[in-house]
Amino acid sequence: MQVATTILQARALFDVLPRPLGFVPTMGALHEGHLALVRRAREESTTVGASIFINPLQFGANEDLEKYPRDIEADRAKFSAAGVDVLFLPNQAVMYPPDFSTAVDAGEMGTRFEGAARPTHFRGVTTVVSKLLNIVRPDTLYLGQKDAQQTAVLRRMIRDLDIPTHVTIVPTEREADGLALSSRNVYLSVEERQAAPSLHHALQALRMAMQMGKSKADAVAAARTRLDPLAQLDYLDVVDANTFAPIDVLSPPAFVIGAARFGSTRLLDNLWIE
Ligand code: AMP
């Protein structure tokens, strides 16, 4: 695995390696969810690129930027073993020099749900992914369904800005008890870890109730009863998969989505409805 730390180094490598080029952007602290993206990219591409960059623009002022888990040596070994050809590992000064001033606005879709809870989050995501796509110029971008709203926002950005990259969404990797893998799961206490899969169970109940034709209010009420008392619910809802607008009557493709805090750790999850 070759490692590029500057934009010039990254371009020099990505421009000459054989295509198709699949690309997996991450913030590191790698787990099996990230590696599922790499495996899919490996199956479908001649060259696989990945990046690790903890993007300050997508963190709010009171969020976990400083304590976000970092383990760069372990991450390098995992990416290398999974078959990544080139790892782009920029620092903040490379991505955001002191006079950096442009941002990509995620529009209305970026104001709902995660965007309501974290008002500058999606603008940070769209801005950094625009930069990464311009540096790497991949044929296919691999994203995890775990961050469903992020996939919808980025698909829309790529379409709206005519970026010549295909997007592939990879299903969510889970622990045996249903908890979606996340770099933030390491923050959970023993009790919170036991309570955390209840978000997944609530979403399963919500999806089943909607598929049985219950009203959304009844379906959400039924789903809430599945949440562990430790969970502080942020939202549970049913949305159109493409617009992320809430829907009352199921019209697939759709997602049931949820976010809840377990202690100080905020977890997200969703299920796809075809
Ligand atoms: P992150 O490092 O959290 O920014 O995530 C990098 C990529 O991995 C994003 O496309 C995520 O959606 C994806 N990802 C994170 N967790 C999972 C998971 N449990 N299963 C599949 N993909 C995931």
Side-chain angles (χ1 to χ4, degrees):
M1 182 174 77
Q2 304 193 71
V3 178
T5 57
T6 68
I7 292 168
L8 278 178
Q9 284 171 357
R11 286 227 172 100
L13 289 169
F14 286 120
D15 284 354
V16 299
L17 285 164
R19 294 201 165 240
L21 166 60
F23 176 53
V24 180
T26 79
M27 298 204 299
L30 300 179
H31 51 64
E32 278 300 310
H34 298 111
L35 299 179
L37 270 59
V38 173
R39 281 195 290 271
R40 181 74 175 271
R42 190 68 277 168
E43 280 165 28
E44 298 177 352
S45 327
T46 306
T47 301
V48 175
S51 63
I52 299 175
F53 179 61
I54 301 179
N55 174 33
L57 288 192
Q58 70 189 72
F59 287 77
N62 300 315
E63 294 183 10
D64 57 344
L65 174 62
E66 298 307 324
K67 68 166 189 159
Y68 195 84
R70 292 162 167 86
D71 192 350
I72 201 65
E73 288 316 312
D75 288 349
R76 283 171 78 138
K78 287 177 188 170
F79 268 154
S80 178
V84 169
D85 299 301
V86 178
L87 171 61
F88 180 43
L89 196 59
N91 65 20
Q92 274 203 47
V94 163
M95 292 298 274
Y96 303 120
D99 57 351
F100 184 87
S101 62
T102 304
V104 178
D105 191 294
E108 198 193 341
M109 212 192 303
T111 65
R112 303 190 185 113
F113 301 107
E114 286 311 288
R118 310 177 69 190
T120 57
H121 174 67
F122 284 118
R123 153 184 279 252
V125 170
T126 47
T127 300
V128 78
V129 173
S130 299
K131 286 176 65 73
L132 290 169
L133 293 178
N134 282 324
I135 295 163
V136 176
R137 290 185 278 220
D139 298 290
T140 303
L141 172 66
Y142 290 86
L143 299 173
Q145 189 202 307
K146 160 74 174 32
D147 299 287
Q149 190 174 3
Q150 171 169 281
T151 66
V153 163
L154 290 175
R155 273 190 146 139
R156 178 69 66 86
M157 176 191 83
I158 284 169
R159 190 201 73 182
D160 286 350
L161 300 185
D162 309 299
I163 297 171
T165 299
H166 176 80
V167 178
T168 293
I169 312 291
V170 178
T172 303
E173 292 283 321
R174 297 180 182 280
E175 301 283 5
D177 60 8
L179 175 64
L181 297 186
S182 164
S183 303
R184 291 189 166 98
N185 291 351
V186 298
Y187 300 150
L188 297 169
S189 70
V190 173
E191 296 74 27
E192 290 159 2
R193 173 64 189 81
Q194 280 171 357
S198 70
L199 179 59
H200 177 55
H201 300 145
L203 289 167
Q204 287 177 313
L206 178 56
R207 176 170 67 178
M208 186 179 294
M210 290 300 291
Q211 285 173 328
M212 281 167 24
K214 288 205 172 152
S215 74
K216 186 158 91 176
D218 285 351
V220 169
R224 287 182 81 119
T225 67
R226 305 294 300 272
L227 280 173
D228 187 279
L230 267 187
Q232 297 165 268
L233 185 64
D234 190 345
Y235 58 78
L236 267 182
D237 215 324
V238 189
V239 298
D240 179 272
N242 295 313
T243 65
F244 250 74
I247 51 176
D248 289 327
V249 177
L250 204 51
S251 61
F255 286 110
V256 291
I257 59 171
R261 225 173 267 280
F262 295 84
S264 56
T265 306
R266 193 163 169 282
L267 299 182
L268 304 186
D269 204 350
N270 67 82
L271 294 170
W272 167 252
I273 305 179
E274 269 183 282

